[in-house]
Amino acid sequence: MNKEEKNDLVLALTEQIKEYGNFYITDTANLTVAKVNAIRRKCFESDITMQVAKNTLIKKAMEASEGDFSPIFDVLKGSSTILFTRSATAPAKLIKQLRKTGEKPILKAAYIESAIFIGDNQLDTLINLKSKEQLIGEIIGLLQSPAKNVISGLQSGGNKLAGIVKTLQERG
């Protein structure tokens, strides 16, 4: 790969980092071509973009992007594959699924909406992450719950009060 091709790849990686906002770095070293192609197909099915690149090029792309990626730099050793996604959990779920049939890919690091997760032991944490939309929905539900209880209480109390008033008027 000549210098111009490397620069083009760094630019492409930089754009993907900015565009997707979420990415995983995995170790896929020593996998057969057939296994890597199978992973690519599963990535495509899960709307994940897979890119194999040299660690130095990945690091340059991170440095050119907005954000502090420095904690990830230490894991950029050996063979690295970067998975870009809009879904924070899709790559983690895919890695977990792929690990049922082999010991790789191994999670090196993940960058999810400015949070950094280092190490394969973070896989279950990433699988259980809730999206921003899910969290907002839960908060809205929690905020609405007391208001619904008050309204319900007022309505049922109002019906009882109307019944009492009616009874008093009839006796009256």
Side-chain angles (χ1 to χ4, degrees):
M1 185 179 270
N2 66 34
K3 191 172 184 172
E4 186 177 320
E5 291 171 329
K6 288 179 183 177
N7 286 336
D8 290 345
L9 182 56
V10 168
L11 286 173
L13 289 171
T14 303
E15 287 303 312
Q16 288 176 309
I17 289 170
K18 290 178 183 177
E19 177 187 343
Y20 286 96
N22 302 315
F23 64 86
Y24 285 58
I25 298 175
T26 63
D27 176 4
T28 55
N30 303 324
L31 292 178
T32 65
V33 173
K35 182 74 172 173
V36 171
N37 286 339
I39 292 171
R40 283 186 192 279
R41 269 191 301 285
K42 291 198 181 284
C43 284
F44 180 78
E45 292 167 3
S46 300
D47 200 26
I48 299 168
T49 302
M50 180 177 163
Q51 177 73 48
V52 178
K54 292 188 175 205
N55 293 319
T56 54
L57 301 180
I58 294 172
K59 183 177 178 182
K60 285 181 181 182
M62 286 185 209
E63 290 171 340
S65 301
E66 297 170 9
D68 179 18
F69 301 98
S70 56
I72 297 175
F73 297 162
D74 291 340
V75 301
L76 293 175
K77 297 177 177 105
S79 176
S80 293
T81 301
I82 191 164
L83 307 174
F84 296 101
T85 180
R86 298 201 194 298
S87 164
T89 60
K93 291 175 181 175
L94 177 62
I95 290 169
K96 187 84 164 185
Q97 177 189 355
L98 293 168
R99 296 275 281 281
K100 291 177 182 176
T101 60
E103 55 189 51
K104 290 199 177 179
I106 295 172
L107 176 67
K108 291 182 172 185
Y111 181 85
I112 310 297
E113 296 181 20
S114 76
I116 295 175
F117 301 84
I118 304 290
D120 196 57
N121 60 338
Q122 297 293 314
L123 196 56
D124 288 330
T125 301
L126 289 162
I127 288 171
N128 294 317
L129 275 182
K130 293 185 179 183
S131 72
K132 191 183 296 183
E133 291 78 18
Q134 288 171 316
L135 290 174
I136 290 170
E138 286 182 11
I139 290 169
I140 289 171
L142 290 171
L143 292 173
Q144 286 178 340
S145 182
K148 285 181 181 176
N149 291 340
V150 169
I151 292 169
S152 175
L154 289 173
Q155 287 174 339
S156 67
N159 291 341
K160 288 179 186 174
L161 185 58
I164 293 170
V165 169
K166 185 176 178 185
T167 303
L168 290 174
Q169 287 174 344
E170 290 173 353
R171 289 186 187 167

